Amino acid sequence: DLKLDISFLTYASPLFRGFEFVLGMSSYVLWDRFWRGKIDAAEATRYEILAIGVVIMWILFGFDIVRRVLQFDVTIGLWNSYASTCFVFALIIAVMANGNGVMARLVSFRPFVWLGEISFALYMVHQIIMKALWLPTLDGSLPVLGPIVPLAACLFAAAVLHHFVETPVIRIVGAIRLRRTTAVSVTA
């Protein structure tokens, strides 16, 4: 019996994953307003190293600290285990957005750029696919091939959605906007 309360935010529904999306977009807005073009490559690299260190520390210790401090709240515990990394990855977005640090240049290679292109579709399908593949076990054990099959399934579904749904829709919407803009400027 599902009920609509705060614990519902920990489910995989894209409708309730909006907080992480808005956080990522807010990171971009802050970067755009305060950092864009204001730091050189050496300073950008220092910030990247610091941000990666924060991510590593969060993964190693942050989950456990939050779990211990908030052990009385099951909902926060669920959210911590599923989504609390959003804060440290929002930091990564803000720090690497300049693109002039060593780490940002490393992730500008074509395979990483392609992963970035399909990232929205991947974000939308990954939990659905992972739960579909793991839910039948119910004991949380990995499938026979470990994470390889879920990862491949997620990448395949995201690529298909990006190339055959997202990209054509973006082209269609762009063409409609162009026609409207052209029609307005011709009549003006």
Side-chain angles (χ1 to χ4, degrees):
D1 181 37
L2 287 178
K3 57 185 183 214
L4 190 59
D5 62 8
I6 192 132
S7 67
F8 201 75
L9 295 175
T10 62
Y11 285 85
S13 170
L15 295 173
F16 294 101
R17 302 306 295 225
F19 174 76
E20 290 96 345
F21 180 75
V22 170
L23 182 63
M25 295 304 293
S26 299
S27 296
Y28 167 78
V29 169
L30 289 172
W31 165 80
D32 188 44
R33 182 166 291 169
F34 299 110
W35 282 357
R36 181 192 289 262
K38 294 180 182 172
I39 56 175
D40 63 13
E43 188 176 6
T45 300
R46 284 192 298 273
Y47 285 132
E48 290 170 350
I49 291 168
L50 179 64
I52 290 169
V54 168
V55 169
I56 291 169
M57 295 304 286
W58 179 259
I59 290 170
L60 292 176
F61 306 110
F63 287 115
D64 193 48
I65 291 169
V66 171
R67 184 182 54 78
R68 287 181 187 186
V69 170
L70 299 171
Q71 63 185 334
F72 59 87
D73 192 323
V74 174
T75 301
I76 297 294
L78 279 172
W79 181 82
N80 179 48
S81 65
Y82 288 117
S84 64
T85 56
C86 66
F87 296 107
V88 292
F89 284 104
L91 174 67
I92 291 285
I93 290 169
V95 168
M96 292 203 181
N98 251 11
N100 62 344
V102 171
M103 301 306 289
R105 279 187 258 135
L106 283 174
V107 297
S108 69
F109 290 120
R110 186 67 194 138
F112 295 125
V113 172
W114 178 76
L115 284 173
E117 290 171 353
I118 69 166
S119 66
F120 181 71
L122 183 61
Y123 168 77
M124 295 301 284
V125 301
H126 80 282
Q127 283 206 6
I128 297 165
I129 290 172
M130 288 169 46
K131 287 189 180 198
L133 293 175
W134 268 305
L135 194 58
T137 63
L138 293 179
D139 64 356
S141 63
L142 289 172
V144 176
L145 294 176
I148 295 170
V149 173
L151 178 61
C154 289
L155 289 174
F156 177 76
V160 167
L161 285 172
H162 172 72
H163 293 291
F164 296 110
V165 177
E166 185 179 356
T167 301
V169 168
I170 289 171
R171 281 192 201 117
I172 292 166
V173 170
I176 292 169
R177 283 185 175 167
L178 182 63
R179 277 189 293 224
R180 286 184 181 168
T181 305
T182 305
V184 169
S185 63
V186 170
T187 59

